[in-house]
């Protein structure tokens, strides 16, 4: 017994000593928030005050020192995130994470983001010494990152994974923005699905799932006639081979799988609105922005307040990018939502049967451009890849398993085909002090498409659709796979920026943007992957009748979790279900939750039943045509959300009949099937009483760190899971994919909730889901989570008398 006792004591001591050693090792690299740090390259002392949530307020005597200091401080909180992002866009994740990421690297190498980053960097380098300050400030920021890499303590992840410390360059910034640009696109998941449906079943099926603009949808109604657009019909081609149909399914599946393993979060939606002084208690403009991005740790946005003579900004920055994507100063504020325009086309190419390295170009075969590249794989052999280019772009079949025998598909992506001036645009937006200087930069944004909302202290409110919009022939339907051989489907160029939708100071004094369909372009509802109108309608309905709005009252709009549409569809479900002759005594308990106003609170039970039924209704209606695999992919697209209301309200839709059976199924019979199945499954999942089928039990959020994929690290790095409020299309969004489990894992939602009243521009409000720092032992790793989950806010102060009350970190020139 004594031996066993001493063994247990020894093991315990080893664990304690090991744990202490790991803690002190982790703690040694924790960010420094006070004291003094000497940094090479500084010309004068820089002061950084960190507020109680870890936001640095940086004051410098010149812009060079300001951006160098910012780069250093940004890196000490987010260097690991910067590293993953630049490697993702450069196709070099396999070098540090192994063969699991080969497909991701192959994707980015094939679509050309590394080459495009090099060209973009060369364009930026050409500005060096020309007096354009964007290059000088960018280089200072990079020098700050590299100074931290040289003398700071690298994040623990670098040692755990084995990442070499390599300096950042201007090219890396464009690798980062390229990775994010691709993640913003929906075409790669949606087009193959829509093409299969169109070619197998025809345009009627697409119409019944709401692929086109609905005349009931409006956008910014104060800005003109929102119905002045025409719809381009789909052409049906039933001669496609089964091999191509299978290949398209694999393409969509592979794109979804790659998205799942990426160590960064895609931007999937957003809300933004701005109201003029007629609607506010202060009589000044009030601006709000709420970007919806996939949840991941570290969180997407990093806040910083930068101040130097003649320049000041409080911004939300992306890791590794020196200029704020969302920001404000004392004169103006701007924010973003995704425009979701279609900027990516897929073309079916025709190979020369006698030479597989040639494709048909109009009436002849021509050589493809062939390139070879090597992917280095940690713990494995190098992978040699061949990339084939047509006039439209690279062939992408080699990325996806199961598509080798399918017709070759090439990808035309406007992002990589236009000169990249986006960094210059961001620089100009960051330095703008009035409406005219801000607007002058927006034409430089070519992609991904952004909806930019704006407000200023002079009373102006505005919205612009910012992108180079592809001008396609009138017959082309870009949401399917196009004909690459004949030349008939070739793009005609790009619309001028002056043709893009915009809205400036509308009479109603209100502008909103929620990824809904924008106003027409050239009298056409421009194709895209737009969200349903539900959030936009909810925003408009709340704000339209309001006056005397304050930040307090606006916070209730920001955190609104009511969906009128879901309440409407649930009422339709239950009305039809309770009329069914088979509705008997065993279902009476359900009547206690049969009335629901659409509120997605954690204690509500009706949304649990509604979303369960919604999945079974959609699956029963669509999976017989699509097949289970394609339906699952369809469920991850924005089109799935657009389809629900249109299909469910149309009892005559062709989708209701199961094509596999001799009888003709009806909508109401499918409602009953979905109800019975949902009732039985929820009793098994939660218990017999529907009053305990709480939404909070069914829908939860876990904030995941890339290292959290390893079971050993999960309890330390991940945050949650915890119960949430909201649903897929509520203003306070908790986004999830529907599936058969009835367990909804929230994967995207608000990454910030900003509110600015220009009567008090120094004291805007905000909240984010986790914390400023990516370092596990930083006090700011997860210090906003509780506030965020409770729908509370904190102050984003620009007032020196407020932030200078905190401890100061002094950054001083380092002498050799």
């Amino acid at each position: 017994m004594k031996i066993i006792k001493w063994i247990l004591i020894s093991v315990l001591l080893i664990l304690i000593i090991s744990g202490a050693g790991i803690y002190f090792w982790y703690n040694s690299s924790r960010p420094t928030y006070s004291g003094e740090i000497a940094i090479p390259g500084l010309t004068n002392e820089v002061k950084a005050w960190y507020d109680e949530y870890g936001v640095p307020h940086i004051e410098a005597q010149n812009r060079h020192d300001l951006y160098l200091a910012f780069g250093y401080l940004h890196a000490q909180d987010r260097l690991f995130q910067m590293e993953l992002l630049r490697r993702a866009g450069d196709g070099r994740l396999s070098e540090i994470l192994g063969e699991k990421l080969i497909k991701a690297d192959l994707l980015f190498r094939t679509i050309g983001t590394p080459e495009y980053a090099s060209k973009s960097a060369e364009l930026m380098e050409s500005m060096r010494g020309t007096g354009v300050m964007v290059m000088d400030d960018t280089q200072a920021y990079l020098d700050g990152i590299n100074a931290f890499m040289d003398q700071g303590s690298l994040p623990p992840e670098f040692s755990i994974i084995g990442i070499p410390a390599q300096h950042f360059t201007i090219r890396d910034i464009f690798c980062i923005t390229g990775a994010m640009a691709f993640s913003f696109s929906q075409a790669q998941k949606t087009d193959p699905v829509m093409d299969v449906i169109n070619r197998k079943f025809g345009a009627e099926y697409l119409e019944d799932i709401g692929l086109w603009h609905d005349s009931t949808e409006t956008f910014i109604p104060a800005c003109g006639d929102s119905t002045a657009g025409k719809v381009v019909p789909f052409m049906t081609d039933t001669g496609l081979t089964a091999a191509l149909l299978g290949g398209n399914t694999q393409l969509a599946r592979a794109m979804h799988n790659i998205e799942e393993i990426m160590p960064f979060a895609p931007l999937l939606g957003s809300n933004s609105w701005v109201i003029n002084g007629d609607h506010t208690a202060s009589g000044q403009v009030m601006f709000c922005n709420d970007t919806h991005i996939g949840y991941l740790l570290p969180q997407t946005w990093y806040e910083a307040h930068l101040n130097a003579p003649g320049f000041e900004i409080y911004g939300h920055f992306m890791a590794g990018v020196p200029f704020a994507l969302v920001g404000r100063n004392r004169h103006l504020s701007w924010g973003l939502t995704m425009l979701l325009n279609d900027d990516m086309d897929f073309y079916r190419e025709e190979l020369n049967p006698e030479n597989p390295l040639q494709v048909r170009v109009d009436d002849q075969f021509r050589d493809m451009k062939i390139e070879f590249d090597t992917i280095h794989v940690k713990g494995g052999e190098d992978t040699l890849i061949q990339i084939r280019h047509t006039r439209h772009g690279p062939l992408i079949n080699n990325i996806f398993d199961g598509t080798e025998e399918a017709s070759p598909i090439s990808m035309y992506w406007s992002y990589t085909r236009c000169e990249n001036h986006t960094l210059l645009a961001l620089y100009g937006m960051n330095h703008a002090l009035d409406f005219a200087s801000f607007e002058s930069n927006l034409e430089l944004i070519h992609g991904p498409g952004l909806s930019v909302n704006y407000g200023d202290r002079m009373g102006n409110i505005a919205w612009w659709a910012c992108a180079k919009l592809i001008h396609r022939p009138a017959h082309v339907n870009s949401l399917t796979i196009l004909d690459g051989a004949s030349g008939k489907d070739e793009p005609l160029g790009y619309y001028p920026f002056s043709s893009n939708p915009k809205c400036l100071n509308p009479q109603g004094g209100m502008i909103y943007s929620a990824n809904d369909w924008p106003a027409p372009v050239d009298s056409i509802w421009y194709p895209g992957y737009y969200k349903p109108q539900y959030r936009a309608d909810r925003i408009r309905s709340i704000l339209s009748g309001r006056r005397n709005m304050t930040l307090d009252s606006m916070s209730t709009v920001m955190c609104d979790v009511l969906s009128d549409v879901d309440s409407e569809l649930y009422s339709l479900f239950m009305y039809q279900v309770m009329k069914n002759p088979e509705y008997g005594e065993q279902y009476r308990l359900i009547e206690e939750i049969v009335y629901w106003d659409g509120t997605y609170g954690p204690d509500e039970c009706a949304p649990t039943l509604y979303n369960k039924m919604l999945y079974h209704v959609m699956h029963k209606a669509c999976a017989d045509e699509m097949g289970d695999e394609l339906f699952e992919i369809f469920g991850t697209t924005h089109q799935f959300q657009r389809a629900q209301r249109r299909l469910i309200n149309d009892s005559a839709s062709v989708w209701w009949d199961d094509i596999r059976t001799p009888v003709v199924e009806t909508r109401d019979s499918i409602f009953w099937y979905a109800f019975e199945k949902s009732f039985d499954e929820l009793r098994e999942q939660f218990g017999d009483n529907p009053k305990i089928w709480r939404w909070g039990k069914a829908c939860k959020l876990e904030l995941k760190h890339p290292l959290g994929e390893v079971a050993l690290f999960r309890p330390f790095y991940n945050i949650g899971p915890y119960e949430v409020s909201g649903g897929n299309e509520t203003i306070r969004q908790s986004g999830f994919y529907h599936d058969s489990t009835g367990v909804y894992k929230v994967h995207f939602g608000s990454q910030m909730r900003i509110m600015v009243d220009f009567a008090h521009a120094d004291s805007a409000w905000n909240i984010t889901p986790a914390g400023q720092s990516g370092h596990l032992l930083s006090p700011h790793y997860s210090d906003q989570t509780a506030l965020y989950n409770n729908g509370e806010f904190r102050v984003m102060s620009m007032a020196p008398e407020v932030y200078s009350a905190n401890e100061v970190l002094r950054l001083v020139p380092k002498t050799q």
Side-chain angles (χ1 to χ4, degrees):
M1 292 296 293
K2 289 184 178 180
I3 294 175
I4 295 175
K5 178 181 178 180
W6 280 111
I7 291 174
L8 291 175
I9 292 173
S10 299
V11 170
L12 181 60
L13 287 172
I14 291 171
L15 290 174
I16 292 173
I17 293 170
S18 299
I22 291 171
Y23 173 81
F24 285 114
W25 172 59
Y26 263 77
N27 197 53
S28 67
S29 62
R30 190 169 64 170
T32 300
Y33 299 125
S34 62
E36 184 176 293
I37 302 176
I39 302 177
L42 286 179
T43 61
N44 292 284
E45 180 183 86
V46 177
K47 295 179 180 179
W49 289 271
Y50 281 88
D51 68 19
E52 61 181 311
Y53 292 100
V55 177
H57 299 259
I58 309 170
E59 290 188 1
Q61 297 179 38
N62 58 72
R63 287 225 305 265
H64 170 271
D65 287 355
L66 179 68
Y67 276 102
L68 192 148
F70 175 47
Y72 190 98
L73 299 180
H74 201 177
Q76 75 163 352
D77 273 317
R78 297 293 188 91
L79 185 62
F80 177 58
Q81 186 181 38
M82 295 176 182
E83 182 71 25
L84 291 185
L85 283 170
R86 71 164 168 177
R87 285 181 174 272
D90 203 16
R92 295 193 301 121
L93 286 169
S94 299
E95 292 180 10
I96 61 171
L97 299 176
E99 62 182 14
K100 180 182 178 182
L101 273 299
I102 289 177
K103 286 292 185 183
D105 287 348
L106 177 59
L107 169 68
F108 283 105
R109 302 280 185 100
T110 300
I111 66 175
T113 53
E115 180 183 3
Y116 185 64
S118 296
K119 292 179 179 178
S120 301
E122 290 172 4
L123 182 61
M124 282 286 291
E125 289 283 0
S126 69
M127 300 179 190
R128 195 185 294 273
T130 63
V132 180
M133 292 299 293
V134 61
M135 186 62 201
D136 297 333
D137 292 350
T138 300
Q139 188 61 59
Y141 172 81
L142 292 169
D143 290 344
I145 295 175
N146 295 333
F148 176 78
M149 296 189 79
D150 290 340
Q151 69 180 40
S153 297
L154 297 179
E157 293 93 337
F158 274 65
S159 297
I160 293 170
I161 297 174
I163 303 173
Q166 300 171 343
H167 276 189
F168 277 70
T169 67
I170 292 173
R171 180 180 178 277
D172 291 322
I173 295 175
F174 292 108
C175 287
I176 290 170
T177 56
M180 297 307 294
F182 183 79
S183 77
F184 295 169
S185 179
Q186 288 284 311
Q188 63 269 28
K189 291 195 301 184
T190 308
D191 287 11
V193 177
M194 296 300 102
D195 192 68
V196 170
I197 296 170
N198 182 49
R199 294 177 186 280
K200 287 182 70 174
F201 301 106
E204 183 180 6
Y205 277 81
L206 290 174
E207 183 175 3
D208 281 3
I209 56 173
L211 188 64
W212 303 301
H213 185 273
D214 190 315
S215 62
T216 65
E217 294 179 300
T218 58
F219 180 80
I220 317 178
C223 289
D225 182 5
S226 61
T227 62
K230 59 185 178 182
V231 172
V232 179
F234 274 70
M235 305 299 291
T236 302
D237 175 6
T238 58
L240 197 63
T241 64
L244 177 57
L245 294 175
N248 287 357
T249 302
Q250 290 296 329
L251 188 155
R253 161 60 61 194
M255 288 293 189
H256 176 66
N257 289 345
I258 289 173
E259 180 182 293
E260 292 284 295
I261 63 174
M262 278 298 180
F264 60 84
L267 203 158
L268 295 166
S270 296
N271 301 319
S272 189
W273 62 88
V274 57
I275 56 178
N276 69 15
D278 294 341
H279 295 269
T280 65
S282 68
Q284 297 293 316
V285 164
M286 189 177 293
F287 171 88
C288 300
N289 194 199
D290 167 17
T291 57
H292 298 161
I293 304 175
Y295 286 106
L296 199 64
L297 293 172
Q299 64 187 23
T300 297
W301 299 115
Y302 185 81
E303 292 176 50
H305 177 200
L306 311 184
N307 200 339
F311 172 66
E312 182 178 24
I313 189 170
Y314 191 117
H316 283 67
F317 297 83
M318 185 179 293
V321 179
F323 310 122
L325 276 75
V326 173
R328 81 181 204 279
N329 53 42
R330 288 182 169 82
H331 305 275
L332 56 85
S333 182
W334 82 92
L336 307 175
T337 66
M338 292 310 299
L339 183 60
L340 296 178
N341 59 295
D342 185 6
D343 64 353
M344 185 182 292
D345 289 339
F346 295 95
Y347 285 87
R348 185 173 66 256
E349 306 287 356
E350 180 183 340
L351 290 180
N352 184 346
E354 298 179 359
N355 183 351
L357 298 181
Q358 291 185 329
V359 293
R360 181 175 293 281
V361 178
D362 303 331
D363 59 352
Q364 59 185 298
F365 288 107
R366 292 186 181 176
D367 292 339
M368 289 183 279
K369 176 185 174 184
I370 309 297
E371 296 178 332
F372 293 91
D373 204 351
T374 301
I375 298 175
H376 302 294
V377 183
K378 181 180 180 180
E381 296 182 359
D382 289 352
T383 299
L384 181 67
I385 62 173
Q386 181 192 71
I387 304 171
R388 296 168 291 169
H389 295 266
T390 74
R391 59 177 166 173
H392 306 114
L395 293 185
I396 59 175
N397 296 63
N398 65 315
I399 302 173
F400 312 112
D401 296 330
T403 63
E404 294 84 358
E405 301 303 319
S407 296
I409 303 295
S410 63
M411 189 182 86
Y412 178 103
W413 187 21
S414 61
Y415 176 77
T416 57
R417 298 182 76 96
C418 301
E419 279 195 350
N420 193 339
H421 297 290
T422 300
L423 207 60
L424 190 60
L426 291 175
Y427 177 84
M429 294 159 70
N430 279 229
H431 288 75
L433 297 177
D434 57 35
F435 183 94
S437 60
F438 183 86
E439 184 182 34
S440 67
N441 297 285
L442 301 181
E443 187 173 359
L444 298 174
I445 300 173
H446 76 285
L450 300 174
S451 288
V452 177
N453 269 30
Y454 169 96
D456 65 31
R457 69 175 185 175
M458 299 302 294
N460 295 303
I461 64 174
W463 168 88
W464 298 268
C466 300
K468 276 192 172 295
L469 301 178
I470 303 172
H471 185 189
R472 301 175 175 95
H475 71 277
V476 164
N477 299 281
S478 63
L479 304 188
T480 61
I481 296 176
L482 307 178
D483 178 4
S486 69
K488 296 178 180 178
D489 292 351
E490 299 304 297
L492 303 177
Y494 296 93
Y495 288 104
F497 183 72
S498 58
S499 295
N500 287 19
K502 64 181 178 181
C503 181
L504 312 177
N505 292 321
Q507 184 177 0
M510 175 179 64
I511 295 174
Y512 58 89
S513 173
N515 315 118
D516 43 318
W517 214 305
V521 178
D522 195 24
S523 300
I524 293 174
W525 291 111
Y526 195 82
Y529 307 94
Y530 309 110
K531 288 275 197 168
Q533 192 70 23
Y534 314 151
R535 278 182 290 122
D537 285 346
R538 180 66 181 163
I539 293 168
R540 184 180 69 243
S541 67
I542 295 176
L543 295 180
S544 292
R546 296 281 187 96
R547 293 292 185 270
N548 300 316
M549 293 291 290
T550 65
L551 293 180
D552 272 319
S553 58
M554 188 63 79
S555 69
T556 64
V557 183
M558 271 281 186
C559 295
D560 184 78
V561 292
L562 188 146
S563 171
D564 300 292
V565 171
D566 286 356
S567 174
E568 168 198 315
L569 297 182
Y570 180 70
S571 296
L572 179 59
F573 284 166
M574 301 314 295
Y575 175 75
Q576 297 297 337
V577 161
M578 294 174 73
K579 288 198 314 180
N580 193 291
E582 297 182 50
Y583 183 82
E585 192 63 34
Q586 70 270 34
Y587 301 118
R588 294 300 177 195
L589 283 174
I590 211 75
E591 293 175 14
E592 297 192 42
I593 62 169
V594 76
Y595 299 107
W596 178 46
D597 68 352
T599 298
Y600 276 88
D603 292 325
E604 296 283 342
C605 298
T608 310
L609 175 59
Y610 165 70
N611 281 281
K612 189 75 154 169
M613 285 190 65
L614 179 63
Y615 169 79
H616 286 306
V617 166
M618 296 297 292
H619 182 268
K620 188 69 171 175
C622 300
D624 55 311
E625 286 91 357
M626 295 184 186
D628 286 336
E629 182 181 27
L630 197 65
F631 176 79
E632 182 183 344
I633 300 166
F634 175 56
T636 69
T637 68
H638 293 172
Q639 194 57 42
F640 179 78
Q641 292 172 269
R642 288 187 59 81
Q644 295 162 16
R645 189 183 194 185
R646 174 69 177 267
L647 177 59
I648 289 169
N649 277 300
D650 183 4
S651 60
S653 172
V654 293
W655 285 98
W656 298 118
D657 179 42
D658 190 332
I659 61 174
R660 300 166 300 188
T661 68
V663 299
V664 177
E665 285 78 13
T666 66
R667 183 192 68 173
D668 292 351
S669 68
I670 288 180
F671 283 2
W672 178 252
Y673 161 85
F675 170 72
E676 278 194 305
K677 193 169 181 62
S678 299
F679 185 84
D680 291 341
E681 289 176 349
L682 289 172
R683 291 178 65 189
E684 179 71 22
Q685 187 175 349
F686 296 120
D688 290 342
N689 188 352
K691 293 177 70 176
I692 64 171
W693 297 351
R694 296 177 59 254
W695 182 239
K697 288 184 179 180
C699 188
K700 294 184 178 181
L701 169 63
E702 181 178 14
L703 301 175
K704 297 180 179 180
H705 188 280
L707 287 185
E709 296 298 314
V710 180
L712 176 65
F713 296 119
R714 185 174 297 124
F716 304 101
Y717 275 95
N718 290 3
I719 303 172
Y722 53 84
E723 297 182 355
V724 299
S725 298
N728 268 330
E729 284 299 322
T730 53
I731 296 176
R732 176 176 171 174
Q733 194 168 50
S734 294
F736 57 87
Y737 294 141
H738 285 86
D739 60 31
S740 61
T741 67
V743 176
Y744 308 111
K745 297 179 180 178
V746 175
H747 69 98
F748 71 92
S750 305
Q751 297 301 304
M752 93 278 255
R753 299 179 185 131
I754 296 174
M755 298 184 295
V756 182
D757 185 338
F758 273 94
H760 312 285
D762 281 352
S763 300
W765 288 12
N766 185 34
I767 196 65
T768 58
Q772 278 278 96
S773 183
H775 194 286
L776 180 62
L777 294 187
S778 167
H780 307 300
Y781 184 73
S782 60
D783 57 336
Q784 297 183 56
T785 300
L787 293 172
Y788 175 88
N789 199 35
N790 291 332
E792 300 176 52
F793 291 82
R794 58 177 177 78
V795 174
M796 300 188 297
S797 179
M798 295 175 68
E801 63 271 19
V802 175
Y803 64 74
S804 62
N806 299 297
E807 284 191 280
V808 64
L809 174 63
R810 298 179 186 275
L811 308 175
V812 299
K814 186 172 186 177
T815 57
Q816 299 299 324

